[in-house]
Every structure is written in C-alpha cells, then in structure tokens.
C-alpha cells in the first residue's frame, strides 16, 4: 500500500510541476454527427458562380449562441427566413420575415450578428452596391431562448437604414463581429467592385454609430503589363482574437484590366494583412506601423509599405474573400487560392483555369514572427472559395467546395495536410457557410450547404455537424 501511495504522489508531482512533459495533443480528426434540413425548397440560381444562400463571405449566415443555433436563408419564393434550434434538437423552428429577395444576385446574402450587450439578433440582407435591408430582434431574445417564443413578433420592422443611420447608398458585404465588450460592429464596403472602400459601424446597445472608412480606393498600382489608379480591398475576414486584437487579411482588386496578362483573368493581386488594437479605430501593418485612422483621410492604401505578406501578380486568378482564423495564441492564419506558376504564368479564363489547376494555400504567422505558406495537396476542382477553422488544439481544417474537409496538425508545423472527408454523400453545390461561433462553443464543425440543382429549380438546404477532437 505504501508503494502505491508513493507512486501516486510522484505522478501527481510530475503532473503539477511546470515544464514537465505531457501527453501530446491529438491531431486533427472529424466524425460526422448528423445532418438537419433547413428547407426542402430553398431558392436556387447560380450567379457569379455562387448561390445566395451559400456564399462563403456570408459571415454568420449560421451561428451558435448560448446553446442554440441560428440560420438565415431565402426560400423558393425569395422570402427571408430565420431559423433556430437547440443544439440537441434535430428540427428547426422558423420565422418568415416580411422581406423578399429583390434580385437574382448571389451577392445579396443574409448575414447575422449578436449584440451581447443586449442579447439581440441582427440581420443585414439583400445588397450589392446599392441599398440594404436591416432587422433586429427584441432585447434579450438570445439570452434566454428556451423561454422565448420563436415568432415573428420578436423581430421588428424591416428597415432600409441601421435604426436611422443610412451609412451609404452603395453597400455590399455585411459582416458582423462582436467586440470583447459585447458591442456589435458591422464591416461593409462602400462603392463598387474595383473602386470601393471598407468601413465600420458600431452598435452599443442603444444606437448605431458610423466609425467611417478605413481603406482607400486611390493610388497607382503598376504591374508588368500596365497600371491602375482605382481598386478595392477585399477582406478575407475581420475577427477578434482572445486578447482583443482585430485581424484582417485582404486582397486588392484593380479596376483597370490593363494590369493583367489576359482579359479573361481577374485583377486580384497580393495577400495583405493589417490589425487593430483599439477596436478598429486605427490600423497597423505587420511590423506595427500605423497605416490608417478610421474615419479620416489617412486610410490603408495600396501604396503603403509593409502590407503584403504574400506577393502575387494579377496573372494567377487569385481568389478574393477567402478565409481567416486566429489561433489560441492570437497568431493569424488564412486560406488563399490561385493557379500556381507551374501550370503557367498567365490565366486566360478565370473559372476554367481555377477549376482545372487551382490550389489552396495555408498562410500563417509563426511564433517567431515570420510568415509561412504551405500548399494544400487537394485540387480545388472549382472556381470557388475554401473556409478555414482551427480546433482547440490549433489543428487546422480547410473546408473546400462541395464540403470536402482537409486538415493539418499543429505538431507537424501544418505540413501534413490530408483529406479527411470527401463530401460525396452531401451532393453539395459548392461553397459552404461555416458556423464560426460553434467551433469555439462546443468543439463542433458545423456548416450550411445546399444541394446541387440546375437552372432555377429549388433544392434542399442543410446543416451538417462534425465532432472535432475532444
């Protein structure tokens, strides 16, 4: 008995001693938990190669908060719908809003956000370089969902402003993000493709305030083919890490096609990175140099130094608005995709070349402060986007078009990318919408996808769940 006691004490001491080796963290894995159906007849039309219910830049088209999951989409008749379920439930309750999709444009997505300061659900929808539509719930709806009836009465009237704040008449790409204090911010583009600026607004629990624009459309960019004097910054995301730093990867798109080797390509070039330590009021490059003050004339410009973390000219059909994540230590990661030079130095058909030869790459900042890029050995077989998430052990998962999942372990330095799930049983059309909040909430990879169809024939819309390593 004494020997067992001494041994137990030694084991406890070893576990408690700082710096003592421990069992290795598990590597990446996915285990399919199940699928639920949101709508048997969701609207289907292909526009800009994508679907309005499943564009991956649709940040928070699906989200989890306090034990419930929420989704937003358009029905076969174009009606905007919001659904919810307890995470333990297999069916969804739905509320149909009074808004109907105004045009068959896949940009006109629905994005949701949570203002934790007052427990409201917010929706911004149906815009592409024009007016938007906004609705918010009653206060407290998300704080105690089990005792709150899910009916149309919990949502206010659909508005064409943010509670009276107009923002802009050329509005696109709404992305909601919650601040560490529980306020809600709205990121959006002012202007049009090739000539637009990124801006922020903020809700404090009582009203919305426009913080202003923080990226520039002006300045001269010159490639080996020609020059352009107008552009817009496309964000791969906008996300707070656990310490409250706001991160954003981006790609520039030039207005003038003269910068390309062939007019059949796309003018996107370079992967850049900026961050903010003051809730988006100012922005710094990777070296920490101030490059912009939101709401002033000093905004992030293509001519600013220190922005580019992965250089690429406009001849490789680089995708815009791909994906990003921050790991448990606050280091930024991104997925980018393009046609590598080994397949040629000039893409001539953006969709066909990306589908035939496109590859995704994992770009990350390492603990030493350097940037690393790893090609993921899974052909895109699509012109569309790939999503990135990290589990609680910082293993990385890339969710490709058609719901395919590849992963790499942190232990390998993210060099062992392997396809874990081929998505063949989903019959998914293309891009998927990730529930970013659920990965952090209960260690489940959950995403929304729509089944393949043709023309304008409606198809089923689903949510599928995968358990990540416990």
């Amino acid at each position: 008995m004494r020997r067992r006691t001494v041994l137990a004490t030694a084991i406890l001491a070893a576990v408690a001693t700082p710096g003592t080796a421990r069992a290795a963290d598990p590597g990446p894995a996915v285990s399919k938990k199940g699928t639920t159906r949101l709508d048997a007849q969701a609207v289907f039309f292909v526009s800009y190669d994508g679907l309005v219910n499943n564009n991956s830049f649709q940040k928070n088209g699906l989200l989890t908060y306090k034990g419930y999951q929420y989704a937003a989409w358009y029905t076969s008749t174009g009606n905007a719908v919001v659904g919810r379920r307890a995470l333990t439930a297999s069916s969804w309750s739905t509320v149909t809003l009074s808004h109907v999709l105004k045009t068959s444009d896949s940009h006109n997505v629905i994005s949701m956000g949570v203002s934790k300061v007052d427990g409201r659900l917010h929706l911004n929808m149906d815009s592409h370089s024009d007016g938007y539509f906004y609705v918010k719930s009653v206060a407290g709806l998300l704080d105690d969902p089990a005792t709150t009836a899910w009916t149309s009465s919990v949502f206010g009237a659909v508005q064409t402003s943010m509670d009276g704040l107009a923002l802009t008449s050329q509005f696109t790409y709404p992305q909601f993000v919650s601040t560490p204090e529980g306020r809600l911010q709205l990121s959006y583009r002012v202007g049009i493709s090739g000539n637009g600026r990124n801006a922020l607004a903020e809700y404090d629990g009582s009203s919305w305030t426009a913080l202003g624009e923080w990226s520039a459309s002006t300045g001269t960019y010159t490639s080996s083919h020609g020059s352009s004097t107008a552009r817009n910054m496309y964000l791969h995301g906008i996300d707070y890490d656990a310490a409250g730093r706001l991160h954003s990867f981006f790609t520039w798109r030039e207005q003038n096609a003269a910068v390309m080797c062939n007019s059949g390509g796309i003018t996107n070039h370079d992967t850049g990175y900026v961050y903010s330590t003051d809730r988006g009021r100012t922005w710094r490059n990777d070296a920490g140099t101030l490059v912009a003050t939101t709401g002033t004339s000093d905004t992030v410009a293509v001519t600013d130094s220190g922005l580019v973390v992965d250089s690429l000219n406009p001849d490789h059909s680089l995708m815009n608005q791909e994906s990003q994540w921050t790991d448990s230590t606050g280091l930024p990661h991104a997925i980018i995709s393009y046609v590598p030079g080994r397949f040629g130095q000039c893409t001539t058909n953006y969709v066909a070349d990306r589908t035939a030869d496109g590859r995704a790459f994992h770009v990350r900042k390492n603990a030493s402060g350097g940037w690393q890029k790893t090609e993921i050995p899974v052909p895109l077989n699509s012109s569309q986007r790939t999503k990135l998430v990290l589990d609680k052990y910082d293993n990385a998962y890339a969710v490709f078009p058609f719901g395919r999942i590849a992963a790499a372990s942190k232990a390998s330095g993210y060099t062992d990318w392997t396809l874990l799930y081929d998505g063949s049983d989903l019959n998914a059309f293309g891009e998927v919408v990730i529930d970013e909040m659920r990965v952090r909430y209960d260690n489940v990879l959950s995403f929304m996808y729509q089944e393949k169809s043709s023309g304008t024939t409606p198809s089923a819309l689903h949510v599928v769940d995968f358990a990540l390593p416990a």
Side-chain angles (χ1 to χ4, degrees):
M1 179 63 76
R2 183 178 182 278
R3 181 179 179 276
R4 290 183 179 177
T5 303
V6 170
L7 180 59
T9 303
I11 291 172
L12 288 172
V15 170
T17 302
T20 303
R22 63 173 186 173
D25 287 340
V30 293
S31 176
K32 190 174 179 183
K33 290 165 58 70
T35 303
T36 57
R37 191 174 71 185
L38 292 167
D39 193 334
Q41 296 270 294
V43 69
F44 186 98
F45 58 83
V46 180
S47 160
Y48 297 91
D49 307 315
L51 304 180
V52 72
N53 284 330
N54 278 94
N55 252 321
S56 66
F57 56 72
Q58 184 182 350
K59 188 176 180 70
N60 296 335
L62 180 70
L63 65 83
T64 292
Y65 189 70
K66 294 192 174 181
Y68 275 67
Q69 191 171 43
Y70 301 84
W73 69 95
Y74 297 105
T75 68
S76 60
T77 56
N79 290 93
V81 171
V82 191
R84 78 169 183 183
R85 64 162 176 162
L87 291 177
T88 55
S90 59
S91 61
W92 293 76
S93 299
T94 61
V95 169
T96 301
L97 303 178
S98 61
H99 182 72
V100 177
L101 180 66
K102 65 189 178 188
T103 184
S104 295
D105 185 334
S106 65
H107 288 82
N108 294 39
V109 300
I110 304 174
S111 293
M112 297 185 293
V114 177
S115 52
K116 298 178 182 179
V117 68
D118 61 358
R120 295 183 193 266
L121 182 66
H122 301 248
L123 290 84
N124 190 295
M125 51 194 168
D126 203 2
S127 62
H128 184 194
S129 302
D130 55 9
Y132 57 85
F133 299 87
Y134 167 69
V135 65
K136 69 179 182 183
S137 75
V138 296
L141 174 68
L142 305 187
D143 291 331
D144 193 13
T147 61
T148 306
W150 190 246
T151 65
S152 57
S153 63
V154 301
F155 289 95
V158 176
Q159 309 175 49
T160 54
S161 68
M162 306 300 290
D163 290 337
L165 181 66
L167 297 182
T168 175
S169 61
Q170 292 183 311
F171 182 100
T172 318
Y173 304 125
Q175 296 192 53
F176 288 107
V177 58
S178 297
T179 71
E181 299 81 17
R183 296 185 178 194
L184 184 63
Q185 293 181 322
L186 174 63
S187 167
Y188 58 98
R189 186 186 71 188
V190 178
I192 61 174
S193 175
N195 191 9
R197 290 89 59 203
N198 288 318
L200 284 172
E202 186 174 270
Y203 174 77
D204 63 3
S206 60
S207 62
W208 283 94
T209 301
L211 302 183
E213 297 175 10
W214 62 272
S215 74
S217 58
T218 55
T220 299
Y221 168 79
T222 302
S223 73
S224 60
H225 311 291
S227 297
S228 175
T229 58
R231 69 203 46 80
N232 70 269
M233 175 196 283
Y234 276 111
L235 301 183
H236 289 311
I238 184 164
D239 300 280
Y240 284 97
D241 65 23
R245 177 174 288 195
L246 185 61
H247 301 260
S248 192
F249 287 89
F250 63 87
T251 294
W252 295 110
R253 175 177 293 178
E254 299 300 322
Q255 185 181 62
N256 191 351
V259 300
M260 293 188 293
C261 61
N262 187 282
S263 61
I266 196 166
T267 60
N268 297 342
H269 64 90
D270 296 320
T271 298
Y273 168 77
V274 289
Y275 70 89
S276 173
T277 57
D278 56 7
R279 309 301 187 254
R281 270 63 174 181
T282 61
W283 295 89
R284 298 180 181 273
N285 66 16
D286 183 46
T289 303
L290 183 69
V291 289
T293 300
T294 301
T296 73
S297 59
D298 181 19
T299 51
V300 182
V302 72
T303 52
D304 287 338
S305 62
L307 299 178
V308 176
V309 297
D310 187 71
S311 179
L312 188 70
N313 66 38
D315 297 337
H316 294 274
S317 293
L318 175 67
M319 175 52 81
N320 50 285
Q321 297 165 290
E322 200 103 32
S323 188
Q324 68 174 43
W325 202 268
T326 55
D327 66 23
S328 61
T329 65
L331 293 173
H333 297 239
I335 292 289
I336 65 173
S337 65
Y338 58 88
V339 178
R342 67 178 181 272
F343 296 108
Q345 297 297 328
C346 180
T347 57
T348 59
N349 184 307
Y350 165 70
V351 172
D353 291 345
R354 281 182 57 86
T355 302
D357 300 319
R359 297 294 187 272
F361 297 81
H362 177 210
V363 177
R364 68 184 181 95
K365 188 173 185 178
N366 61 34
S368 300
W371 290 91
Q372 294 181 239
K373 181 171 73 170
T374 304
E375 181 175 341
I376 303 175
V378 178
L380 289 182
N381 297 329
S382 169
S383 65
Q384 296 182 280
R385 300 171 180 87
T386 298
K387 298 295 290 182
L388 174 69
V389 303
L390 271 64
D391 67 21
K392 66 182 182 180
Y393 302 107
D394 287 336
N395 299 310
Y397 300 77
V399 187
F400 283 80
F402 319 120
R404 296 168 294 159
I405 305 172
S409 66
K410 179 183 179 181
S412 74
Y414 305 101
T415 59
D416 58 353
W417 283 96
T418 305
L419 188 67
L420 301 182
Y421 172 71
D422 70 5
S424 59
D425 58 326
L426 300 182
N427 192 35
F429 168 80
E431 291 180 4
V432 303
V433 174
I434 299 287
D435 187 338
E436 299 175 2
M437 297 169 71
R438 190 170 184 193
V439 174
R440 297 182 173 96
Y441 178 83
D442 68 355
N443 210 40
V444 170
L445 171 59
S446 187
F447 62 79
M448 182 166 65
Y449 70 93
Q450 190 159 350
E451 291 188 22
K452 295 175 184 175
S453 188
S454 60
T456 57
T457 303
S459 66
L461 186 68
H462 305 275
V463 173
V464 61
D465 300 331
F466 296 86
L468 298 175

